[in-house]
Amino acid sequence: MKASVPMSSVRYLLKAVEKQGLDREAVLESLEITAEELEQSDSFSAYRFGMLYQKIMWLMQDESFGMLSGGKIPNGTFRMMCLCIIHARSLAHALYRCSDFYEICRGPTVKPVLIKKGRFAMVTFGPLSSSDEDIDSLVLAESNEQLRTTLSMWHHFICWLIGRRLNLKAAYFTNERPNDVEYYKTLFQSEVKFNQHANALVFPASYLDMPIVQTEDSLRGFLKTAPYQLLVMVENDNSLKSQVMAMLGKDFSREMPSAEEVASGLNMSVSTLRRRLNDEKTSYQQIKDECRKEAAITYMNAPQLSINDIAALMGFDEPSAFFRSFKKWTGMTPGEYRKSEEYLKFGKDMKRPDNRG
């Protein structure tokens, strides 16, 4: 099952491109995306969507494109923010640093805000202390897609920081209940509430004490594929397999959760998880292997990533261990794969946008 996004997300992005005065056809042509490809499918490759998103952010010179920010954020800002927070002593410390970073960052008028109340914590958004921006008016002007993308990307970013999935209690949205509620539920794997007083991620406060597991080395590989890992989704087919894949995500630089942890996150026993997956003719181990294989091939198809980069993104301490696993998954070594017809066919689809301007 390939990681994908709904075609509605692609259409939203392209509509925003036209609204900003960019040449839609030129952007698509530069990534070799055809009109037929956009018209004949209900979903789109998450990796290619990430490359499209990356291309547009570069052309717009705005790393907050498509998100709630209140202004343009210059390219390179996200990297500097990450460097400021990955040495934080805990998730709470990192999130407070994020908020402080936005206060001195050129461009935005909105910042992430961490609120802790008893057993639960909330990441929401508020105006900079130096801004007279009315957050309620700003939010009213944003589309459902933009609010959903903002919360989803922050959720996935937090997951990456702590090296495990942040199991949400709920995701709150200020907009009216949309028609595609099931997509929201699949995306956030939690209760989703609309017509709320704020747009926010609500989760157990115990996560705030978790350490930041990422380093400057792991950040380099992460940035080469950004925003892929912040956008990635699986097909919304309501199967238990899809729910498990959504919980696993695409960050394999961390240790994968156990079957017990996944079952607990899905509010069922391990025996029930195994029985229901068996009914779908699969198992937790098969799903893990499938996810890792699909992620490895996706990264291998990205010419800008070296084998060492991919080994790190896949959580291998030594490239030689990745070589052995990749051959087990595909029957080829990484070097053999990059000389194969499959790579020659798909590699050019994964070309990184020319970010040199």
Side-chain angles (χ1 to χ4, degrees), residues 143-354:
S143 67
N144 292 357
E145 184 85 30
Q146 192 156 11
L147 296 176
R148 184 176 69 195
T149 298
T150 300
L151 281 193
S152 177
M153 290 180 77
W154 273 101
H155 179 211
H156 289 162
F157 179 57
I158 292 171
C159 294
W160 178 76
L161 285 174
I162 61 177
R164 60 175 294 174
R165 184 174 179 83
L166 176 72
N167 291 317
L168 300 176
K169 178 179 183 289
Y172 290 169
F173 291 90
T174 53
N175 54 283
E176 299 285 332
R177 183 182 178 88
N179 295 327
D180 56 347
V181 173
E182 289 306 314
Y183 176 62
Y184 281 74
K185 291 179 179 177
T186 302
L187 184 60
F188 293 98
Q189 291 291 298
S190 72
E191 183 179 14
V192 181
K193 295 186 176 182
F194 300 95
N195 295 304
Q196 300 298 302
H197 66 284
N199 295 281
L201 302 169
V202 182
F203 53 92
S206 56
Y207 280 98
L208 295 177
D209 296 325
M210 290 186 175
I212 302 304
V213 302
Q214 304 301 335
T215 65
E216 291 189 25
D217 286 339
S218 63
L219 174 62
R220 279 193 288 271
F222 179 77
L223 291 175
K224 285 183 179 180
T225 61
Y228 167 63
Q229 290 188 42
L230 304 181
L231 294 166
V232 73
M233 258 295 297
V234 296
E235 301 288 357
N236 179 15
D237 62 5
N238 297 316
S239 67
L240 180 58
K241 179 180 179 180
S242 283
Q243 293 178 58
V244 172
M245 291 179 79
M247 291 188 71
L248 292 178
K250 291 296 170 186
D251 176 16
F252 294 100
S253 62
R254 60 188 171 90
E255 184 178 352
M256 290 291 93
S258 65
E260 287 76 13
E261 290 173 315
V262 169
S264 175
L266 293 170
N267 297 313
M268 63 178 69
S269 66
V270 177
S271 58
T272 299
L273 173 69
R274 288 173 177 155
R275 176 178 54 78
R276 288 186 54 189
L277 288 176
N278 185 60
D279 290 342
E280 294 182 7
K281 295 181 171 45
T282 188
S283 69
Y284 182 57
Q285 187 60 51
Q286 287 177 319
I287 294 172
K288 283 205 301 183
D289 289 344
E290 183 180 332
C291 286
R292 296 185 81 200
K293 175 182 176 181
E294 189 259 315
I297 291 175
T298 295
Y299 290 137
M300 284 296 297
N301 283 337
Q304 75 271 17
L305 295 176
S306 69
I307 303 300
N308 287 353
D309 286 336
I310 298 168
L313 285 167
M314 294 300 299
F316 291 91
D317 293 330
E318 297 292 336
S320 58
F322 171 65
F323 273 60
R324 291 192 295 272
S325 293
F326 190 81
K327 186 166 185 178
K328 177 183 175 183
W329 295 328
T330 65
M332 292 181 279
T333 66
E336 289 169 342
Y337 178 82
R338 283 198 160 168
K339 293 177 183 177
S340 69
E341 288 186 10
E342 184 173 355
Y343 174 71
L344 295 175
K345 175 183 177 183
F346 291 106
K348 69 177 182 178
D349 290 338
M350 301 299 185
K351 284 180 181 175
R352 180 182 177 87
D354 185 356

Side-chain angles (χ1 to χ4, degrees), residues 32-91:
E32 299 186 6
I33 299 172
T34 66
E36 292 75 20
E37 190 177 354
L38 298 178
E39 295 168 359
Q40 296 176 1
S41 178
D42 295 327
S43 62
F44 191 77
S45 160
Y47 192 93
R48 298 188 75 198
F49 183 71
M51 292 297 97
L52 175 62
Y53 212 118
Q54 186 184 82
K55 177 79 173 184
I56 294 168
M57 285 193 297
W58 178 258
L59 291 172
M60 292 299 302
Q61 292 291 292
D62 179 13
E63 287 191 339
S64 67
F65 182 78
M67 295 179 66
L68 178 65
S69 68
K72 286 188 174 184
I73 297 181
N75 289 344
T77 303
F78 179 67
R79 172 178 172 271
M80 294 308 299
M81 183 188 77
C82 289
L83 288 171
C84 286
I85 68 176
I86 59 175
H87 299 293
R89 61 180 177 269
S90 66
L91 176 61

Side-chain angles (χ1 to χ4, degrees), residues 122-147:
M122 173 188 293
V123 171
T124 185
F125 304 92
L128 302 184
S129 57
S130 59
S131 170
D132 57 2
E133 185 82 61
D134 178 16
I135 190 71
D136 293 332
S137 298
L138 180 64
V139 167
L140 281 174
E142 304 298 341
S143 67
N144 292 357
E145 184 85 30
Q146 192 156 11
L147 296 176

